[in-house]
Amino acid sequence: MSRLAIALFDDEGPFVRASTRALARDFRILGQWGPYPLEIFEDHGDTRAIVWAVAITGILGAAAMFALATFSTYAYPFDSGGRPLFTWQTFLIPSTEFLALTGAIGGVIALFIKAGLTRLHHRAFDLAEVERASRDSFVLALACDTGDSANAAVALLAEAGAFHTRVVE
Amino acid sequence: MKPHTRPEHGRQWTLPSVRTLGDVTEIVLAPLMDRKAGRNYWFAFAASLAIAAVGATAIGWSIAVGPGLWGNNTSVVWGFPIANYVWWIGIGNAGTLISSLLLLTRQDWRASINRFAEAMTLFAVSMAGIFPILHLGRQTYFYWMAPYPSTMTLWPQWRSALVWDFWAILCYLLFSVLFFYVGLIPDLAALRDRSGKLGWRRFYGFFAMGWQGSARQWRTQERLHKALAVLAVPLVCSVHSIVGLDFAASMMPGWIESVFPPYFVVGALFSGFAMVVLIALVLRWSMGLEGIITSAHFDAMAKILLAAAIIMSASYASEWFSAAWSGEAADLALVRFEFTGAYWPLYIAMLACNVAAPQLFWVPRLRTSVRVLVGVSLAVLLGMWLERILIIMETLSTGYDPGFFRLYSATFVDFAILAGTLGAFVWLFLVFARVLPVCSMYETRKLLARERENDA
């Protein structure tokens, strides 16, 4: 990891202010962490894949269940009061339930992939400050290539309202 | 509890004593991490486990000897097992419905109640799933409901309501586990980071899956949570509609009614909210959560109970009206039997619990009175159970053919199994309350931040 300036904020206002100012002054944001989701996080990556994963796996699951019900009805024909074998209305019931289940499974798998989960260790965990994001603080890390830019970054973060700043070599 | 009035400081869902984001974390995690379980906890733990053991014994006895131990007879073939199934799954439906519906309608106050409501769903649906299997009589063959390449080339009968129930319970339970887990991941990370002991850090760390709370992770998790909520609402409605169809798809008087599916969904919400109110009161008192479960929450939940009671009253009235309007002799006889037959005291008690008792919530002061909340919630839970058993007893005791008229009376084993599931439900909840955060910390932090903004 190259040199970076890291800061802790106890409120979202100063954190958002620092992030905005950092971008305006051409600092590269290496990471943003928080104890709850913020609107500014919406700029981070396209999450349409999540919705597509839910929709596609859900529809595939429902179609598979419908196909199974149709196949098995003919594989084991059972005359129930003279009703037709292809009672598609009743096949829709388990298909609908299965749509929700397979959609959810697809969505969770997509979450793991898109959010980089199942990776139990990450370089970010080496920064003690990041742990505070799960508890009470917002964390912002800015890339600094030189000693001067590190000083400028720390000054920017402190001015925005950080209660803790540090340069990590 | 102080009556709820819109406070001058602009905060209603969190108390002013909760000042920082860290306070929320401490309030929720301190009972798990810092405080030992007290005598009351261990007493409840032992008592619920003992009651669950009695239920397990009754179930084991029923499996060994057969359904002859129950009150079911040749006319009332459904009896307690199906009534208990419908009651439990109703409670189970409410947790995910409350959580997803309130998420989609942007009701931020859900933050304090959604976690334990979702846990309630998991435990209640697990209890519900026991009963259809028990009721099969030959429980060891329950897996025949699942489609698999059997050597006898036998496949499930897709036109059977029993198969619909199998898929409804299975899919709903697994879906609810995933919905619960997706909302829990950030809080598991908080537990991982705060746990002192290595074993617990590893345990929570494993399930947190490497969550850091980065911008990208939040964005993805939030998107999925909402997508799942969109799936959850129709799923929940379909699950309890299927339970309603178990009755409505038959030809029996009192059951063959098109109002049953929505009526069952509202009934589920009604009993589920009553259970959520009770659990919220117990958790608030026992875990010191007064700062984040306020009188405003109870005020809101009591209003929902009142609204549900009005819809339930309309459903009962529509049942009587349909019988009168159709002029069908069997339907009219059934309504007459409800008010004058052998079970009339239970029917009147059901109306008192489901229709009359929640009317107390028209009085604002009573919506935040602990005694009234406990009393009405218990009444609703009892009333909804009576409704479930009466739907079965009244129709099957009378029906069309006088030759089949036969009354129903439950046995000790029936009550022992019901009590056992109640004990197991409480026991599971007690374990949950010591292992996982009962309130969603990250959503409550967000709620606090919004309230502080309004305050400023």
Side-chain angles (χ1 to χ4, degrees):
Chain A
M1 198 182 285
S2 58
R3 184 181 295 167
L4 62 91
I6 193 161
L8 287 172
F9 301 85
D10 57 8
D11 203 354
E12 68 178 76
F15 172 74
V16 172
R17 197 160 50 234
S19 303
T20 314
R21 285 182 191 172
L23 286 173
R25 287 171 58 179
D26 289 335
F27 279 104
R28 190 158 57 91
I29 295 179
L30 285 178
Q32 290 170 302
W33 297 267
Y36 59 85
L38 292 178
E39 279 177 22
I40 60 162
F41 292 165
E42 288 177 13
D43 303 332
H44 284 259
D46 187 0
T47 53
R48 276 178 299 183
I50 295 283
V51 178
W52 278 112
V54 171
I56 290 169
T57 53
I59 291 167
L60 285 177
M65 178 57 80
F66 194 88
L68 176 72
T70 307
F71 160 76
S72 61
T73 300
Y74 287 101
Y76 185 80
F78 185 86
D79 186 350
S80 173
R83 293 182 185 89
L85 286 178
F86 184 64
T87 47
W88 60 270
Q89 299 91 337
T90 58
F91 301 168
L92 286 178
I93 294 172
S95 304
T96 309
E97 308 300 300
F98 212 55
L99 182 149
L101 176 60
T102 50
I105 292 170
V108 171
I109 293 170
L111 169 73
F112 285 174
I113 296 168
K114 288 287 289 180
L117 294 182
T118 72
R119 189 176 171 186
L120 297 185
H121 193 267
H122 187 275
R123 285 182 304 172
F125 288 120
D126 293 334
L127 301 167
E129 288 85 352
V130 170
E131 201 176 286
R132 294 288 294 271
S134 70
R135 209 181 314 166
D136 56 3
S137 303
F138 292 90
V139 188
L140 180 61
L142 302 178
C144 320
D145 300 324
T146 63
D148 288 344
S149 73
N151 291 338
V154 168
L156 180 148
L157 294 167
E159 268 174 35
F163 69 86
H164 163 90
T165 53
R166 178 168 77 100
V167 176
V168 183
E169 297 290 340
Chain B
M1 215 184 306
K2 282 184 183 171
H4 169 64
T5 48
R6 192 164 284 277
E8 287 173 11
H9 54 71
R11 285 170 63 170
Q12 52 179 337
W13 307 113
T14 53
L15 291 184
S17 57
V18 186
R19 290 192 300 274
T20 65
L21 303 177
D23 287 347
V24 173
T25 312
E26 286 310 306
I27 287 171
V28 179
L29 291 190
L32 270 76
M33 304 272 169
D34 303 335
R35 285 182 231 148
K36 287 194 171 176
R39 193 182 294 174
N40 289 340
Y41 177 88
W42 288 115
F43 175 76
F45 189 92
S48 58
L49 198 58
I51 294 168
V54 170
T57 309
I59 288 172
W61 193 20
S62 300
I63 291 171
V65 176
L69 292 173
W70 308 333
N72 299 29
N73 56 47
T74 48
S75 296
V76 188
V77 289
W78 280 8
F80 259 42
I82 302 300
N84 294 341
Y85 158 65
V86 179
W87 186 68
W88 271 121
I89 203 152
I91 292 170
N93 269 353
T96 300
L97 183 64
I98 290 165
S99 182
S100 54
L101 211 55
L102 297 183
L103 177 69
L104 293 177
T105 52
R106 299 181 183 184
Q107 298 296 311
D108 290 340
W109 61 273
R110 71 185 272 286
S112 307
I113 64 164
N114 68 329
R115 174 69 47 72
F116 62 79
E118 288 170 27
M120 176 190 84
T121 282
L122 301 183
F123 305 146
V125 174
S126 303
M127 295 304 117
I130 294 170
F131 288 101
I133 295 174
L134 267 186
H135 189 253
L136 286 174
R138 290 187 292 169
Q139 296 85 3
T140 46
Y141 297 124
F142 88 92
Y143 64 91
W144 284 9
M145 281 183 286
Y148 70 101
S150 133
T151 51
M152 294 181 287
T153 68
L154 193 68
W155 291 95
Q157 170 53 272
W158 301 95
R159 284 167 286 189
S160 159
L162 187 64
V163 172
W164 304 346
D165 282 335
F166 173 79
W167 287 104
I169 299 171
L170 183 73
C171 294
Y172 182 57
L173 180 61
L174 296 178
F175 177 92
S176 297
V177 169
L178 293 173
F179 188 61
F180 178 73
Y181 178 63
V182 168
L184 187 64
I185 294 173
D187 286 353
L188 285 167
L191 282 158
R192 172 200 64 200
D193 296 340
R194 199 177 176 284
S195 293
K197 292 181 180 167
L198 184 63
W200 281 112
R201 280 182 82 92
R202 283 188 175 157
F203 174 77
Y204 292 124
F206 176 78
F207 288 105
M209 294 278 175
W211 179 270
Q212 308 159 26
S214 68
R216 187 178 174 186
Q217 288 179 338
W218 277 123
R219 174 96 175 98
T220 328
Q221 188 263 2
E222 213 182 13
R223 192 74 185 254
L224 178 63
H225 209 205
K226 281 185 186 153
L228 292 185
V230 169
L231 281 181
V233 175
L235 175 67
V236 174
C237 293
S238 78
V239 168
H240 221 69
S241 296
I242 288 172
V243 178
L245 283 173
D246 290 351
F247 297 86
S250 76
M251 300 297 287
M252 299 300 289
W255 288 4
I256 181 167
E257 295 192 38
S258 51
V259 75
F260 259 38
Y263 162 49
F264 269 54
V265 173
V266 176
L269 187 72
F270 190 40
S271 55
F273 248 113
M275 188 64 100
V276 168
V277 168
L278 271 185
I279 294 170
L281 283 166
V282 172
L283 292 178
R284 183 181 192 265
W285 164 74
S286 61
M287 301 183 86
L289 301 175
E290 290 87 353
I292 55 174
I293 303 178
T294 67
S295 61
H297 287 95
F298 292 102
D299 188 70
M301 289 192 280
K303 283 178 186 165
I304 293 172
L305 275 177
L306 177 60
I310 292 167
I311 299 173
M312 292 304 291
S313 310
S315 301
Y316 299 140
S318 95
E319 190 187 341
W320 307 325
F321 177 77
S322 298
W325 186 251
S326 71
E328 175 70 34
D331 285 341
L332 284 169
L334 181 78
V335 173
R336 211 174 300 124
F337 185 75
E338 284 172 350
F339 285 99
T340 59
Y343 309 128
W344 75 265
L346 297 177
Y347 196 75
I348 299 299
M350 187 265 292
L351 291 176
C353 291
N354 291 349
V355 177
Q359 305 307 321
L360 289 172
F361 289 146
W362 283 106
V363 183
R365 186 170 47 84
L366 299 183
R367 291 199 291 266
T368 53
S369 157
V370 172
R371 283 181 188 174
V372 175
L373 283 164
V374 169
V376 173
S377 300
L378 285 173
V380 169
L381 286 168
L382 174 66
M384 286 308 295
W385 184 81
L386 285 172
E387 185 204 285
R388 299 340 189 172
I389 191 70
L390 283 169
I391 286 175
I392 290 166
M393 290 199 308
E394 285 173 336
T395 289
L396 295 180
S397 289
T398 54
Y400 293 106
D401 184 354
F404 282 99
F405 285 9
R406 223 174 144 187
L407 293 179
Y408 174 87
S409 59
T411 64
F412 172 75
V413 175
D414 281 316
F415 282 106
I417 295 173
L418 173 62
T421 54
L422 281 167
F425 177 80
V426 173
W427 183 78
L428 286 168
F429 229 99
L430 289 167
V431 174
F432 159 72
R434 292 297 304 172
V435 176
L436 294 172
V438 295
C439 296
S440 171
M441 287 183 285
Y442 77 91
E443 287 170 291
T444 311
R445 288 186 205 117
K446 193 174 179 180
L447 175 67
L448 174 67
R450 297 292 160 267
E451 294 224 299
R452 285 195 312 198
E453 271 175 22
N454 296 340
D455 218 1

